[in-house]
Tab-separated table of all heavy atoms in Angstrom:
chain	number	residue	atom	x	y	z
A	1	MET	N	-3.186	105.409	132.334
A	1	MET	CA	-2.323	104.361	132.796
A	1	MET	C	-3.098	103.505	133.806
A	1	MET	O	-3.866	104.004	134.667
A	1	MET	CB	-1.094	104.922	133.422
A	1	MET	CG	-0.024	103.938	133.686
A	1	MET	SD	1.430	104.770	134.389
A	1	MET	CE	1.339	104.290	136.094
A	2	SER	N	-2.920	102.242	133.800
A	2	SER	CA	-3.594	101.331	134.666
A	2	SER	C	-2.728	100.935	135.861
A	2	SER	O	-1.556	100.549	135.643
A	2	SER	CB	-4.101	100.112	133.970
A	2	SER	OG	-4.812	99.297	134.817
A	3	ASN	N	-3.198	101.032	137.056
A	3	ASN	CA	-2.448	100.670	138.279
A	3	ASN	C	-3.195	99.639	139.061
A	3	ASN	O	-4.448	99.711	139.035
A	3	ASN	CB	-2.201	101.865	139.188
A	3	ASN	CG	-1.051	102.741	138.637
A	3	ASN	OD1	-0.002	102.281	138.324
A	3	ASN	ND2	-1.362	103.966	138.518
A	4	SER	N	-2.468	98.749	139.752
A	4	SER	CA	-3.150	97.747	140.583
A	4	SER	C	-2.818	97.932	141.990
A	4	SER	O	-1.678	98.301	142.388
A	4	SER	CB	-2.717	96.346	140.107
A	4	SER	OG	-3.201	96.045	138.809
A	5	PHE	N	-3.874	97.656	142.875
A	5	PHE	CA	-3.651	97.758	144.327
A	5	PHE	C	-4.138	96.512	145.008
A	5	PHE	O	-5.277	96.109	144.848
A	5	PHE	CB	-4.514	99.001	144.792
A	5	PHE	CG	-4.165	100.303	144.091
A	5	PHE	CD1	-4.859	100.526	142.855
A	5	PHE	CD2	-3.184	101.125	144.488
A	5	PHE	CE1	-4.592	101.719	142.194
A	5	PHE	CE2	-2.886	102.246	143.835
A	5	PHE	CZ	-3.556	102.590	142.647
A	6	GLU	N	-3.236	95.855	145.728
A	6	GLU	CA	-3.508	94.586	146.314
A	6	GLU	C	-3.902	94.691	147.746
A	6	GLU	O	-3.238	95.346	148.549
A	6	GLU	CB	-2.279	93.670	146.131
A	6	GLU	CG	-2.615	92.262	146.526
A	6	GLU	CD	-1.506	91.282	146.075
A	6	GLU	OE1	-0.864	91.560	145.109
A	6	GLU	OE2	-1.409	90.243	146.821
A	7	GLY	N	-4.995	94.007	148.141
A	7	GLY	CA	-5.388	93.897	149.466
A	7	GLY	C	-5.223	92.432	149.949
A	7	GLY	O	-4.567	91.664	149.318
A	8	LYS	N	-5.932	92.122	151.059
A	8	LYS	CA	-5.848	90.731	151.529
A	8	LYS	C	-6.603	89.808	150.624
A	8	LYS	O	-6.189	88.623	150.448
A	8	LYS	CB	-6.418	90.692	152.968
A	8	LYS	CG	-6.078	89.467	153.685
A	8	LYS	CD	-6.447	89.591	155.184
A	8	LYS	CE	-6.226	88.267	155.893
A	8	LYS	NZ	-6.952	88.201	157.157
A	9	HIS	N	-7.736	90.224	150.127
A	9	HIS	CA	-8.596	89.288	149.365
A	9	HIS	C	-8.778	89.669	147.900
A	9	HIS	O	-9.117	88.834	147.114
A	9	HIS	CB	-10.025	89.307	149.984
A	9	HIS	CG	-10.079	89.000	151.433
A	9	HIS	ND1	-9.696	87.793	151.937
A	9	HIS	CD2	-10.364	89.802	152.481
A	9	HIS	CE1	-9.818	87.822	153.263
A	9	HIS	NE2	-10.183	89.048	153.645
A	10	VAL	N	-8.476	90.948	147.565
A	10	VAL	CA	-8.783	91.419	146.211
A	10	VAL	C	-7.586	92.274	145.635
A	10	VAL	O	-6.827	92.838	146.405
A	10	VAL	CB	-10.054	92.284	146.091
A	10	VAL	CG1	-11.314	91.460	146.492
A	10	VAL	CG2	-9.915	93.546	146.882
A	11	VAL	N	-7.543	92.256	144.338
A	11	VAL	CA	-6.686	93.213	143.623
A	11	VAL	C	-7.562	94.174	142.839
A	11	VAL	O	-8.444	93.631	142.087
A	11	VAL	CB	-5.692	92.513	142.671
A	11	VAL	CG1	-4.837	93.553	141.946
A	11	VAL	CG2	-4.798	91.554	143.427
A	12	ILE	N	-7.479	95.453	143.065
A	12	ILE	CA	-8.322	96.410	142.326
A	12	ILE	C	-7.394	97.140	141.371
A	12	ILE	O	-6.343	97.610	141.729
A	12	ILE	CB	-8.954	97.435	143.320
A	12	ILE	CG1	-9.903	96.685	144.239
A	12	ILE	CG2	-9.636	98.505	142.524
A	12	ILE	CD1	-10.499	97.581	145.297
A	13	SER	N	-7.780	97.210	140.075
A	13	SER	CA	-7.055	97.970	139.102
A	13	SER	C	-7.823	99.152	138.656
A	13	SER	O	-9.054	99.179	138.668
A	13	SER	CB	-6.628	97.085	137.928
A	13	SER	OG	-7.796	96.714	137.173
A	14	TYR	N	-7.098	100.224	138.366
A	14	TYR	CA	-7.726	101.493	138.112
A	14	TYR	C	-7.007	102.157	136.887
A	14	TYR	O	-5.760	102.145	136.868
A	14	TYR	CB	-7.549	102.379	139.380
A	14	TYR	CG	-7.878	103.844	139.110
A	14	TYR	CD1	-9.157	104.253	138.843
A	14	TYR	CD2	-6.832	104.802	139.074
A	14	TYR	CE1	-9.453	105.576	138.613
A	14	TYR	CE2	-7.146	106.127	138.869
A	14	TYR	CZ	-8.433	106.507	138.611
A	14	TYR	OH	-8.733	107.843	138.368
A	15	ASP	N	-7.749	102.664	135.971
A	15	ASP	CA	-7.233	103.280	134.785
A	15	ASP	C	-7.657	104.735	134.795
A	15	ASP	O	-8.756	105.133	134.564
A	15	ASP	CB	-7.735	102.617	133.511
A	15	ASP	CG	-7.008	103.105	132.239
A	15	ASP	OD1	-6.493	104.250	132.249
A	15	ASP	OD2	-6.916	102.264	131.316
A	16	ASP	N	-6.618	105.614	135.064
A	16	ASP	CA	-6.960	107.020	135.223
A	16	ASP	C	-7.319	107.720	133.900
A	16	ASP	O	-7.854	108.782	133.880
A	16	ASP	CB	-5.804	107.742	135.902
A	16	ASP	CG	-4.502	107.737	135.134
A	16	ASP	OD1	-4.456	107.131	134.092
A	16	ASP	OD2	-3.508	108.346	135.641
A	17	LYS	N	-6.990	107.027	132.771
A	17	LYS	CA	-7.411	107.608	131.525
A	17	LYS	C	-8.882	107.428	131.228
A	17	LYS	O	-9.495	108.160	130.437
A	17	LYS	CB	-6.607	106.932	130.391
A	17	LYS	CG	-5.154	107.346	130.298
A	17	LYS	CD	-4.736	107.633	128.888
A	17	LYS	CE	-3.416	108.293	128.850
A	17	LYS	NZ	-2.380	107.408	129.432
A	18	ILE	N	-9.484	106.465	131.876
A	18	ILE	CA	-10.912	106.139	131.658
A	18	ILE	C	-11.804	106.798	132.657
A	18	ILE	O	-12.944	107.166	132.377
A	18	ILE	CB	-11.099	104.593	131.678
A	18	ILE	CG1	-10.244	103.917	130.637
A	18	ILE	CG2	-12.562	104.228	131.388
A	18	ILE	CD1	-10.305	102.428	130.606
A	19	CYS	N	-11.300	106.982	133.879
A	19	CYS	CA	-12.152	107.539	134.998
A	19	CYS	C	-12.740	108.896	134.619
A	19	CYS	O	-12.112	109.765	134.081
A	19	CYS	CB	-11.255	107.693	136.218
A	19	CYS	SG	-12.048	108.481	137.548
A	20	THR	N	-14.059	109.011	134.866
A	20	THR	CA	-14.775	110.256	134.624
A	20	THR	C	-15.032	110.997	135.950
A	20	THR	O	-15.747	112.009	135.900
A	20	THR	CB	-16.164	109.948	133.965
A	20	THR	OG1	-16.792	109.019	134.779
A	20	THR	CG2	-15.959	109.365	132.582
A	21	HIS	N	-14.396	110.572	136.992
A	21	HIS	CA	-14.510	111.262	138.269
A	21	HIS	C	-15.913	111.443	138.829
A	21	HIS	O	-16.253	112.437	139.384
A	21	HIS	CB	-13.749	112.585	138.255
A	21	HIS	CG	-12.291	112.418	137.838
A	21	HIS	ND1	-11.388	111.824	138.665
A	21	HIS	CD2	-11.667	112.650	136.645
A	21	HIS	CE1	-10.199	111.755	138.020
A	21	HIS	NE2	-10.396	112.238	136.818
A	22	ALA	N	-16.750	110.465	138.506
A	22	ALA	CA	-18.160	110.509	138.972
A	22	ALA	C	-18.220	110.339	140.485
A	22	ALA	O	-19.185	110.683	141.122
A	22	ALA	CB	-18.989	109.519	138.240
A	23	GLY	N	-17.216	109.655	141.066
A	23	GLY	CA	-17.202	109.472	142.508
A	23	GLY	C	-18.013	108.386	143.128
A	23	GLY	O	-18.117	108.281	144.309
A	24	GLU	N	-18.585	107.546	142.334
A	24	GLU	CA	-19.378	106.400	142.842
A	24	GLU	C	-18.499	105.533	143.792
A	24	GLU	O	-18.960	105.110	144.804
A	24	GLU	CB	-19.844	105.521	141.711
A	24	GLU	CG	-21.011	106.082	140.939
A	24	GLU	CD	-22.287	106.297	141.778
A	24	GLU	OE1	-22.435	105.553	142.781
A	24	GLU	OE2	-23.066	107.137	141.448
A	25	CYS	N	-17.240	105.387	143.454
A	25	CYS	CA	-16.361	104.513	144.210
A	25	CYS	C	-16.137	105.183	145.605
A	25	CYS	O	-16.200	104.510	146.647
A	25	CYS	CB	-15.069	104.284	143.487
A	25	CYS	SG	-14.255	105.811	142.973
A	26	VAL	N	-15.877	106.502	145.657
A	26	VAL	CA	-15.591	107.166	146.865
A	26	VAL	C	-16.813	107.132	147.775
A	26	VAL	O	-16.757	106.981	148.997
A	26	VAL	CB	-15.105	108.579	146.588
A	26	VAL	CG1	-14.854	109.351	147.912
A	26	VAL	CG2	-13.813	108.573	145.739
A	27	ARG	N	-17.956	107.400	147.168
A	27	ARG	CA	-19.211	107.359	147.994
A	27	ARG	C	-19.540	105.957	148.508
A	27	ARG	O	-20.024	105.769	149.626
A	27	ARG	CB	-20.367	107.945	147.112
A	27	ARG	CG	-20.530	109.378	147.168
A	27	ARG	CD	-21.893	109.810	146.564
A	27	ARG	NE	-21.943	109.561	145.115
A	27	ARG	CZ	-21.439	110.335	144.231
A	27	ARG	NH1	-20.766	111.374	144.575
A	27	ARG	NH2	-21.510	109.999	142.915
A	28	GLY	N	-19.294	104.990	147.652
A	28	GLY	CA	-19.720	103.602	148.014
A	28	GLY	C	-18.820	102.971	148.976
A	28	GLY	O	-19.248	102.165	149.856
A	29	LEU	N	-17.501	103.174	148.913
A	29	LEU	CA	-16.519	102.478	149.796
A	29	LEU	C	-15.457	103.520	150.196
A	29	LEU	O	-14.252	103.364	149.755
A	29	LEU	CB	-15.905	101.305	149.090
A	29	LEU	CG	-16.559	99.904	149.211
A	29	LEU	CD1	-15.712	98.875	148.376
A	29	LEU	CD2	-16.664	99.482	150.660
A	30	PRO	N	-15.809	104.450	151.011
A	30	PRO	CA	-14.798	105.510	151.403
A	30	PRO	C	-13.557	104.967	152.109
A	30	PRO	O	-12.495	105.570	152.069
A	30	PRO	CB	-15.612	106.491	152.311
A	30	PRO	CG	-16.818	105.761	152.684
A	30	PRO	CD	-17.115	104.727	151.662
A	31	GLN	N	-13.703	103.771	152.769
A	31	GLN	CA	-12.497	103.214	153.467
A	31	GLN	C	-11.517	102.631	152.466
A	31	GLN	O	-10.368	102.407	152.800
A	31	GLN	CB	-12.937	102.203	154.476
A	31	GLN	CG	-13.426	100.859	153.985
A	31	GLN	CD	-14.974	100.856	153.690
A	31	GLN	OE1	-15.506	101.835	153.157
A	31	GLN	NE2	-15.627	99.793	154.063
A	32	VAL	N	-11.969	102.383	151.184
A	32	VAL	CA	-11.073	101.828	150.163
A	32	VAL	C	-10.592	102.882	149.225
A	32	VAL	O	-9.443	102.978	148.846
A	32	VAL	CB	-11.798	100.667	149.423
A	32	VAL	CG1	-10.996	100.257	148.241
A	32	VAL	CG2	-12.053	99.490	150.345
A	33	PHE	N	-11.575	103.763	148.835
A	33	PHE	CA	-11.250	104.814	147.819
A	33	PHE	C	-11.319	106.165	148.496
A	33	PHE	O	-12.344	106.685	148.883
A	33	PHE	CB	-12.335	104.772	146.740
A	33	PHE	CG	-12.433	103.485	145.993
A	33	PHE	CD1	-13.431	102.567	146.344
A	33	PHE	CD2	-11.524	103.161	144.984
A	33	PHE	CE1	-13.532	101.360	145.677
A	33	PHE	CE2	-11.606	101.933	144.336
A	33	PHE	CZ	-12.624	101.012	144.666
A	34	ASP	N	-10.078	106.757	148.705
A	34	ASP	CA	-10.016	108.052	149.366
A	34	ASP	C	-8.974	108.859	148.571
A	34	ASP	O	-7.751	108.678	148.729
A	34	ASP	CB	-9.551	107.834	150.804
A	34	ASP	CG	-9.462	109.134	151.613
A	34	ASP	OD1	-9.572	110.176	150.955
A	34	ASP	OD2	-9.310	109.046	152.796
A	35	PRO	N	-9.433	109.873	147.814
A	35	PRO	CA	-8.505	110.639	146.998
A	35	PRO	C	-7.499	111.490	147.789
A	35	PRO	O	-6.562	111.963	147.279
A	35	PRO	CB	-9.468	111.609	146.243
A	35	PRO	CG	-10.833	111.030	146.376
A	35	PRO	CD	-10.838	110.203	147.663
A	36	LYS	N	-7.784	111.602	149.151
A	36	LYS	CA	-6.834	112.427	149.958
A	36	LYS	C	-5.640	111.597	150.449
A	36	LYS	O	-4.774	112.101	151.079
A	36	LYS	CB	-7.592	112.992	151.174
A	36	LYS	CG	-8.642	113.956	150.790
A	36	LYS	CD	-9.195	114.706	152.049
A	36	LYS	CE	-10.552	115.231	151.833
A	36	LYS	NZ	-11.595	114.205	152.137
A	37	ARG	N	-5.684	110.277	150.165
A	37	ARG	CA	-4.659	109.398	150.601
A	37	ARG	C	-3.713	109.008	149.471
A	37	ARG	O	-4.083	109.089	148.356
A	37	ARG	CB	-5.328	108.099	151.102
A	37	ARG	CG	-5.107	107.789	152.537
A	37	ARG	CD	-5.856	106.557	152.951
A	37	ARG	NE	-6.469	105.825	151.868
A	37	ARG	CZ	-7.477	104.944	152.046
A	37	ARG	NH1	-7.930	104.676	153.263
A	37	ARG	NH2	-7.976	104.293	151.032
A	38	SER	N	-2.583	108.503	149.836
A	38	SER	CA	-1.669	107.991	148.817
A	38	SER	C	-1.142	106.595	149.220
A	38	SER	O	-0.561	106.526	150.292
A	38	SER	CB	-0.490	108.978	148.579
A	38	SER	OG	0.331	108.436	147.555
A	39	PRO	N	-1.383	105.578	148.469
A	39	PRO	CA	-2.171	105.554	147.271
A	39	PRO	C	-3.676	105.763	147.568
A	39	PRO	O	-4.095	105.461	148.718
A	39	PRO	CB	-1.945	104.189	146.643
A	39	PRO	CG	-1.558	103.322	147.857
A	39	PRO	CD	-0.872	104.245	148.806
A	40	TRP	N	-4.429	106.253	146.663
A	40	TRP	CA	-5.795	106.577	146.949
A	40	TRP	C	-6.737	105.364	147.021
A	40	TRP	O	-7.810	105.446	147.528
A	40	TRP	CB	-6.367	107.631	146.004
A	40	TRP	CG	-6.772	107.112	144.669
A	40	TRP	CD1	-6.003	106.846	143.594
A	40	TRP	CD2	-8.102	106.932	144.200
A	40	TRP	NE1	-6.675	106.357	142.568
A	40	TRP	CE2	-8.030	106.462	142.880
A	40	TRP	CE3	-9.353	107.080	144.791
A	40	TRP	CZ2	-9.136	106.123	142.130
A	40	TRP	CZ3	-10.495	106.729	144.055
A	40	TRP	CH2	-10.387	106.276	142.738
A	41	ILE	N	-6.242	104.249	146.467
A	41	ILE	CA	-7.007	102.959	146.595
A	41	ILE	C	-6.229	102.067	147.557
A	41	ILE	O	-5.055	101.738	147.277
A	41	ILE	CB	-7.165	102.289	145.219
A	41	ILE	CG1	-7.963	103.207	144.270
A	41	ILE	CG2	-7.877	100.936	145.394
A	41	ILE	CD1	-8.183	102.622	142.868
A	42	GLN	N	-6.876	101.662	148.623
A	42	GLN	CA	-6.260	100.755	149.601
A	42	GLN	C	-7.315	99.666	149.966
A	42	GLN	O	-8.208	99.897	150.743
A	42	GLN	CB	-5.759	101.519	150.843
A	42	GLN	CG	-4.651	102.479	150.528
A	42	GLN	CD	-4.102	103.155	151.756
A	42	GLN	OE1	-4.134	102.682	152.877
A	42	GLN	NE2	-3.532	104.314	151.556
A	43	PRO	N	-7.254	98.544	149.227
A	43	PRO	CA	-8.285	97.524	149.461
A	43	PRO	C	-8.308	96.980	150.887
A	43	PRO	O	-9.385	96.563	151.356
A	43	PRO	CB	-7.904	96.410	148.469
A	43	PRO	CG	-7.056	97.065	147.422
A	43	PRO	CD	-6.325	98.180	148.168
A	44	GLY	N	-7.213	96.924	151.572
A	44	GLY	CA	-7.199	96.415	152.934
A	44	GLY	C	-7.775	95.033	152.997
A	44	GLY	O	-7.372	94.152	152.278
A	45	GLU	N	-8.791	94.856	153.881
A	45	GLU	CA	-9.364	93.510	154.063
A	45	GLU	C	-10.731	93.435	153.414
A	45	GLU	O	-11.533	92.559	153.801
A	45	GLU	CB	-9.441	93.247	155.550
A	45	GLU	CG	-8.071	93.215	156.196
A	45	GLU	CD	-8.021	92.497	157.512
A	45	GLU	OE1	-9.034	92.108	158.089
A	45	GLU	OE2	-6.911	92.367	158.070
A	46	ILE	N	-11.066	94.292	152.509
A	46	ILE	CA	-12.339	94.282	151.920
A	46	ILE	C	-12.605	92.879	151.132
A	46	ILE	O	-11.666	92.413	150.597
A	46	ILE	CB	-12.531	95.479	150.930
A	46	ILE	CG1	-14.014	95.790	150.739
A	46	ILE	CG2	-11.806	95.306	149.629
A	46	ILE	CD1	-14.643	96.597	151.827
A	47	SER	N	-13.842	92.431	151.202
A	47	SER	CA	-14.106	91.178	150.500
A	47	SER	C	-14.361	91.438	149.025
A	47	SER	O	-14.650	92.536	148.606
A	47	SER	CB	-15.407	90.523	151.041
A	47	SER	OG	-16.532	91.300	150.759
A	48	TYR	N	-14.170	90.369	148.236
A	48	TYR	CA	-14.439	90.483	146.804
A	48	TYR	C	-15.910	90.997	146.571
A	48	TYR	O	-16.164	91.867	145.741
A	48	TYR	CB	-14.251	89.138	146.135
A	48	TYR	CG	-14.521	89.147	144.660
A	48	TYR	CD1	-13.521	89.559	143.764
A	48	TYR	CD2	-15.783	88.851	144.156
A	48	TYR	CE1	-13.802	89.623	142.394
A	48	TYR	CE2	-16.082	88.933	142.772
A	48	TYR	CZ	-15.044	89.342	141.945
A	48	TYR	OH	-15.273	89.376	140.567
A	49	GLU	N	-16.863	90.415	147.297
A	49	GLU	CA	-18.240	90.784	147.112
A	49	GLU	C	-18.547	92.235	147.360
A	49	GLU	O	-19.228	92.889	146.583
A	49	GLU	CB	-19.161	89.916	148.013
A	49	GLU	CG	-19.222	88.444	147.602
A	49	GLU	CD	-17.975	87.663	147.883
A	49	GLU	OE1	-17.180	88.060	148.758
A	49	GLU	OE2	-17.757	86.623	147.207
A	50	ALA	N	-17.925	92.753	148.466
A	50	ALA	CA	-18.149	94.183	148.817
A	50	ALA	C	-17.496	95.083	147.715
A	50	ALA	O	-18.113	96.078	147.341
A	50	ALA	CB	-17.590	94.429	150.209
A	51	ALA	N	-16.314	94.715	147.309
A	51	ALA	CA	-15.681	95.565	146.315
A	51	ALA	C	-16.444	95.519	145.001
A	51	ALA	O	-16.614	96.522	144.381
A	51	ALA	CB	-14.201	95.031	146.124
A	52	GLU	N	-16.870	94.291	144.609
A	52	GLU	CA	-17.547	94.092	143.335
A	52	GLU	C	-18.876	94.914	143.298
A	52	GLU	O	-19.208	95.478	142.232
A	52	GLU	CB	-17.802	92.652	143.109
A	52	GLU	CG	-18.001	92.199	141.677
A	52	GLU	CD	-19.437	92.417	141.264
A	52	GLU	OE1	-20.321	92.376	142.040
A	52	GLU	OE2	-19.580	92.667	140.026
A	53	GLN	N	-19.546	94.975	144.352
A	53	GLN	CA	-20.864	95.689	144.461
A	53	GLN	C	-20.723	97.174	144.086
A	53	GLN	O	-21.538	97.758	143.473
A	53	GLN	CB	-21.465	95.638	145.844
A	53	GLN	CG	-22.471	94.491	145.988
A	53	GLN	CD	-23.216	94.608	147.344
A	53	GLN	OE1	-23.254	95.567	147.943
A	53	GLN	NE2	-23.747	93.468	147.707
A	54	VAL	N	-19.604	97.765	144.606
A	54	VAL	CA	-19.388	99.179	144.330
A	54	VAL	C	-18.755	99.418	142.930
A	54	VAL	O	-19.157	100.279	142.180
A	54	VAL	CB	-18.489	99.794	145.433
A	54	VAL	CG1	-17.974	101.158	145.003
A	54	VAL	CG2	-19.304	99.853	146.716
A	55	ILE	N	-17.836	98.503	142.581
A	55	ILE	CA	-17.122	98.699	141.364
A	55	ILE	C	-18.059	98.477	140.125
A	55	ILE	O	-17.905	99.094	139.141
A	55	ILE	CB	-15.852	97.766	141.275
A	55	ILE	CG1	-14.870	98.328	142.214
A	55	ILE	CG2	-15.391	97.494	139.876
A	55	ILE	CD1	-13.626	97.459	142.413
A	56	ARG	N	-19.038	97.653	140.381
A	56	ARG	CA	-20.097	97.492	139.333
A	56	ARG	C	-20.818	98.751	139.018
A	56	ARG	O	-21.331	98.965	137.924
A	56	ARG	CB	-21.041	96.364	139.863
A	56	ARG	CG	-22.357	96.371	139.302
A	56	ARG	CD	-23.305	95.244	139.673
A	56	ARG	NE	-22.858	94.175	140.554
A	56	ARG	CZ	-23.631	93.751	141.601
A	56	ARG	NH1	-24.669	94.363	141.996
A	56	ARG	NH2	-23.148	92.801	142.338
A	57	ARG	N	-20.883	99.699	139.961
A	57	ARG	CA	-21.556	101.017	139.737
A	57	ARG	C	-20.642	102.069	139.080
A	57	ARG	O	-21.102	103.090	138.765
A	57	ARG	CB	-22.072	101.523	141.068
A	57	ARG	CG	-23.092	100.651	141.744
A	57	ARG	CD	-24.082	101.484	142.590
A	57	ARG	NE	-23.436	102.113	143.677
A	57	ARG	CZ	-23.240	101.611	144.940
A	57	ARG	NH1	-23.721	100.397	145.193
A	57	ARG	NH2	-22.656	102.222	145.873
A	58	CYS	N	-19.378	101.722	138.916
A	58	CYS	CA	-18.470	102.694	138.260
A	58	CYS	C	-18.956	102.880	136.832
A	58	CYS	O	-18.946	101.926	136.071
A	58	CYS	CB	-17.052	102.144	138.284
A	58	CYS	SG	-15.897	103.098	137.261
A	59	PRO	N	-19.289	104.091	136.518
A	59	PRO	CA	-19.904	104.294	135.162
A	59	PRO	C	-18.950	104.245	133.966
A	59	PRO	O	-19.342	104.004	132.849
A	59	PRO	CB	-20.520	105.726	135.273
A	59	PRO	CG	-19.750	106.440	136.323
A	59	PRO	CD	-19.334	105.283	137.284
A	60	SER	N	-17.674	104.360	134.282
A	60	SER	CA	-16.734	104.502	133.179
A	60	SER	C	-16.035	103.159	132.848
A	60	SER	O	-15.457	102.992	131.802
A	60	SER	CB	-15.634	105.515	133.546
A	60	SER	OG	-14.814	104.970	134.603
A	61	GLY	N	-16.069	102.213	133.776
A	61	GLY	CA	-15.288	100.964	133.550
A	61	GLY	C	-13.812	101.132	133.947
A	61	GLY	O	-12.998	100.261	133.612
A	62	ALA	N	-13.485	102.208	134.664
A	62	ALA	CA	-12.082	102.429	135.044
A	62	ALA	C	-11.594	101.452	136.077
A	62	ALA	O	-10.403	101.236	136.256
A	62	ALA	CB	-11.902	103.856	135.569
A	63	LEU	N	-12.552	100.934	136.883
A	63	LEU	CA	-12.134	100.009	137.954
A	63	LEU	C	-12.420	98.561	137.647
A	63	LEU	O	-13.481	98.295	137.034
A	63	LEU	CB	-12.971	100.429	139.267
A	63	LEU	CG	-12.681	101.751	139.869
A	63	LEU	CD1	-13.690	102.012	140.983
A	63	LEU	CD2	-11.247	101.768	140.443
A	64	LYS	N	-11.521	97.712	138.015
A	64	LYS	CA	-11.703	96.305	137.884
A	64	LYS	C	-11.290	95.597	139.210
A	64	LYS	O	-10.411	96.102	139.882
A	64	LYS	CB	-10.916	95.692	136.707
A	64	LYS	CG	-11.157	96.338	135.404
A	64	LYS	CD	-11.487	95.315	134.349
A	64	LYS	CE	-11.800	95.922	133.002
A	64	LYS	NZ	-12.494	97.145	133.020
A	65	VAL	N	-11.958	94.517	139.538
A	65	VAL	CA	-11.601	93.799	140.755
A	65	VAL	C	-11.402	92.304	140.375
A	65	VAL	O	-12.140	91.733	139.565
A	65	VAL	CB	-12.585	94.038	141.877
A	65	VAL	CG1	-14.007	93.490	141.503
A	65	VAL	CG2	-12.173	93.344	143.154
A	66	ARG	N	-10.417	91.681	141.052
A	66	ARG	CA	-10.283	90.300	140.915
A	66	ARG	C	-9.813	89.722	142.266
A	66	ARG	O	-9.358	90.446	143.144
A	66	ARG	CB	-9.273	89.894	139.803
A	66	ARG	CG	-7.878	90.370	140.009
A	66	ARG	CD	-6.979	89.858	138.918
A	66	ARG	NE	-5.664	90.445	138.910
A	66	ARG	CZ	-4.638	90.101	139.691
A	66	ARG	NH1	-4.837	89.095	140.595
A	66	ARG	NH2	-3.514	90.751	139.644
A	67	HIS	N	-9.921	88.428	142.382
A	67	HIS	CA	-9.446	87.774	143.600
A	67	HIS	C	-7.918	87.810	143.633
A	67	HIS	O	-7.249	87.791	142.523
A	67	HIS	CB	-9.892	86.306	143.645
A	67	HIS	CG	-11.417	86.134	143.832
A	67	HIS	ND1	-11.995	86.184	145.077
A	67	HIS	CD2	-12.389	85.998	142.963
A	67	HIS	CE1	-13.250	86.022	144.914
A	67	HIS	NE2	-13.533	85.876	143.613
A	68	VAL	N	-7.322	87.850	144.806
A	68	VAL	CA	-5.907	87.867	144.948
A	68	VAL	C	-5.313	86.505	144.393
A	68	VAL	O	-5.923	85.476	144.608
A	68	VAL	CB	-5.492	87.994	146.470
A	68	VAL	CG1	-3.974	87.627	146.648
A	68	VAL	CG2	-5.742	89.412	146.939
B	101	LIG	S1	-16.561	105.310	140.164
B	101	LIG	FE1	-15.245	104.962	138.393
B	101	LIG	S2	-15.454	106.807	137.139
B	101	LIG	FE2	-16.252	107.253	139.143
B	101	LIG	S3	-14.472	108.173	140.210
B	101	LIG	FE3	-14.507	105.971	140.673
B	101	LIG	S4	-13.149	105.114	139.105
B	101	LIG	FE4	-13.719	107.089	138.430
């Protein structure tokens, strides 16, 4: 299932059926991706460029980012 999480500048969508739990997102942007939190994705004030740099490394394609 795909869920969307809206921040000030970006909307990040996540598909849990595709995620392979490689953890690139958590390592790259721990302030946005934190599995111990609910919801575990909180874009906050992250910029599109910063989010895109990490999401581009997601090996599964489970994450997508767009401007608000
Ligand atoms: S980087 Fe992508 S595949 Fe890895 S845990 Fe995050 S969403 Fe899942």
Side-chain angles (χ1 to χ4, degrees):
M1 192 176 105
S2 182
N3 283 309
S4 292
F5 305 89
E6 187 167 333
K8 193 170 176 200
H9 308 291
V10 297
V11 178
I12 295 175
S13 67
Y14 168 70
D15 190 331
D16 63 358
K17 287 226 170 57
I18 300 177
C19 174
T20 54
H21 304 290
E24 285 295 335
C25 53
V26 177
R27 273 192 294 278
L29 269 180
Q31 71 273 41
V32 172
F33 302 98
D34 183 349
K36 296 191 203 85
R37 242 179 5 201
S38 182
W40 80 281
I41 299 177
Q42 295 185 24
E45 300 198 353
I46 202 81
S47 69
Y48 179 86
E49 289 72 23
E52 203 277 331
Q53 263 189 23
V54 167
I55 287 173
R56 157 176 355 131
R57 297 208 296 269
C58 170
S60 69
L63 292 172
K64 303 233 176 327
V65 60
R66 63 175 170 81
H67 293 276
V68 166

